[in-house]
């Protein structure tokens, strides 16, 4: 078989609020740049001068946002690692020292070993994700405000609390209306949205969350959607010992909404309800049954988007 060689020059970027430390995966070439527009422009020129095509960085509380957007706009392949992934790589390499310069070199080496696919991000989805995050935060604040309101008796306090709840409800509704309006402005997104809406238990909010938070749906193989969401059980076997299966990892934000959709789907007449009842009658705990429905639901979402056909509910 003919061997194909890939000559990809990788670099790593350690993100700070003030500084950007860059390092090449090969050699000891490092450079520091200011985390400003002019500093990022200098970073791009430096990367080009060294022939870099792929650059890795850690998710850093959105301090990486400007640099990442500039790199992607300049056609660099950008890999965003989770911090625990980089630290695990450091433990594997038995590296204990830590500094911005060392971290940049470590990220560069981890990026050079990375075997995943680099996908370009959609600017509209990035902006909608930011609105969706605020929607989720307002939802949490609303739930907390309503809980607090149950314990107040003084009239003036009750009036202020009621006004707060009313304001949060308006903000929550307005944010979701904005998200839905932006989805409907794009034919490709509204097509995905309508397909997802055909699934049992998937309402307007859940469909919007999946469109925004899981754009990979429709391009995944069987089982990958469940793993990406974090509802795939992992084996824990060793020798003759067969351990319990547990779910771990995945995307927590969309998983919360798929959980709500699964609760609705398992009560609706059709295959999902029958599936849940079968698991419960076999002695499975209720939580295990719900997670199984979540797994079945997210895999169904991947299927309808891959086939570009509505979900047909069977009795």
């Amino acid at each position: 078989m003919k061997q194909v060689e890939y000559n990809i020059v990788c670099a790593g970027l350690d993100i700070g609020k003030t500084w950007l430390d860059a390092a090449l995966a090969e050699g000891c070439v490092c450079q520091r740049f200011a985390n400003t527009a002019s500093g990022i422009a200098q970073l791009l020129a430096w990367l080009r001068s060294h022939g870099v095509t792929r650059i890795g960085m850690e998710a850093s509380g959105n301090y990486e946002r400007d640099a990442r957007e500039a790199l992607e706009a300049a056609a660099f392949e950008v890999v965003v690692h989770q911090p625990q992934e980089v630290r695990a790589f450091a433990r594997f390499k038995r590296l204990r020292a830590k500094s911005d310069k060392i971290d940049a070199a470590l990220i560069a080496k981890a990026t050079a070993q990375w075997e995943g696919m680099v996908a370009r991000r959609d600017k509209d989805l990035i902006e909608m994700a930011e609105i969706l995050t605020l929607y989720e935060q307002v939802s949490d604040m609303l739930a907390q405000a309503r809980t607090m309101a149950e314990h107040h008796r003084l009239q003036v306090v009750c009036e202020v609390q009621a006004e707060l709840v009313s304001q949060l409800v308006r903000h929550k509704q307005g944010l979701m209306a904005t998200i839905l309006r932006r989805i409907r402005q794009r034919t490709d997104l509204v097509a995905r949205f309508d397909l997802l809406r055909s699934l049992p238990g998937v309402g307007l909010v859940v469909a919007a969350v999946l469109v925004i938070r899981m754009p990979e749906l429709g391009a995944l193989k069987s089982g990958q959607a469940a793993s990406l969401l974090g509802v795939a059980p992992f084996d824990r076997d060793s020798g003759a010992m067969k351990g319990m299966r547990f779910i771990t990892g995945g995307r927590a934000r969309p998983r919360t909404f798929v959980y709500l959709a699964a609760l609705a789907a398992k009560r609706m007449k059709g295959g999902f309800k029958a599936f849940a009842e079968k698991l419960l009658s076999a002695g499975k705990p209720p939580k295990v049954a719900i997670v199984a429905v979540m797994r079945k639901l997210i895999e169904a979402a991947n299927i309808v988007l891959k086939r570009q056909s509505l979900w047909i509910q069977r009795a």
Side-chain angles (χ1 to χ4, degrees), residues 1-304:
M1 182 180 293
K2 184 179 178 180
Q3 296 291 328
V4 181
E5 294 184 1
Y6 296 91
N7 185 23
I8 299 177
V9 180
C10 297
L13 192 64
D14 184 67
I15 309 288
K17 183 176 181 180
T18 307
W19 301 104
L20 303 171
D21 288 274
L24 300 183
E26 300 295 333
C28 300
V29 183
C30 303
Q31 186 69 41
R32 168 169 281 193
F33 305 91
N35 195 355
T36 61
S38 60
I40 292 172
Q42 293 171 8
L43 167 67
L44 297 178
W46 183 82
L47 292 171
R48 290 193 185 97
S49 69
H50 288 88
V52 173
T53 56
R54 178 177 294 176
I55 183 164
M57 61 181 67
E58 288 182 333
S60 305
N62 248 4
Y63 288 129
E64 80 282 0
R65 181 172 178 173
D66 292 340
R68 179 177 182 176
E69 289 179 353
L71 287 163
E72 289 180 332
F76 286 94
E77 294 183 357
V78 180
V79 179
V80 180
H81 304 281
Q82 293 301 314
Q84 60 267 30
E85 295 173 350
V86 178
R87 297 322 304 168
F89 184 77
R91 288 194 296 272
F92 172 71
K93 292 293 186 180
R94 299 183 181 181
L95 299 174
R96 299 183 181 274
K98 180 173 172 56
S99 68
D100 295 339
K101 179 179 177 180
I102 292 173
D103 285 349
L106 180 65
I107 294 170
K109 294 183 183 301
T111 303
Q113 297 293 319
W114 193 76
E115 297 179 349
M117 180 179 66
V118 179
R120 297 292 178 190
R121 298 190 307 162
D122 188 310
K123 186 176 183 295
D124 287 338
L125 291 182
I126 295 170
E127 293 177 354
M128 283 189 276
E130 188 170 342
I131 300 172
L132 182 57
T133 297
L134 181 57
Y135 171 87
E136 294 163 353
Q137 292 169 345
V138 170
S139 298
D140 291 340
M141 293 167 63
L142 178 58
Q144 185 180 21
R146 283 173 169 164
T147 301
M148 293 170 60
E150 296 177 356
H151 303 284
H152 297 313
R153 294 293 180 268
L154 193 63
Q155 182 65 26
V156 64
V157 176
C158 290
E159 290 175 356
V160 172
Q161 196 72 35
E163 177 59 25
L164 175 60
V165 169
S166 179
Q167 289 178 355
L168 290 172
V169 168
R170 289 197 301 271
H171 285 312
K172 181 179 176 181
Q173 293 173 344
L175 289 167
M176 183 48 61
T178 300
I179 290 170
L180 295 176
R181 184 172 62 253
R182 294 192 62 162
I183 288 176
R184 293 188 179 105
Q185 289 172 350
R186 282 185 43 176
T187 55
D188 58 333
L189 296 184
V190 78
R192 293 173 64 85
F193 179 83
D194 290 339
L195 288 169
L196 292 169
R197 286 276 287 117
S198 70
L199 292 165
V202 177
L204 294 174
V205 176
V206 177
V209 169
L210 293 179
V211 167
I212 296 168
R213 299 279 194 210
M214 298 194 68
E216 300 91 345
L217 289 176
L220 301 174
K221 297 179 181 178
S222 177
Q224 289 183 330
S227 181
L228 188 63
L229 187 68
V231 292
F234 289 95
D235 295 346
R236 296 190 176 216
D237 301 339
S238 180
M241 188 274 291
K242 186 174 183 180
M244 291 183 63
R245 271 55 176 162
F246 292 93
I247 61 173
T248 185
R251 297 181 183 175
R253 290 182 183 273
R255 187 166 60 243
T256 299
F257 290 90
V258 175
Y259 172 80
L260 298 176
L263 289 178
K266 78 182 188 70
R267 297 191 187 102
M268 300 171 67
K269 183 179 179 180
F272 287 91
K273 181 179 180 180
F275 175 67
E277 289 177 347
K278 182 180 179 180
L279 292 175
L280 293 172
S281 63
K284 298 295 183 182
K287 284 188 177 180
V288 172
I290 292 173
V291 171
V293 173
M294 292 172 66
R295 183 163 58 251
K296 193 176 183 68
L297 193 59
I298 197 64
E299 288 294 327
N302 186 58
I303 289 172
V304 298

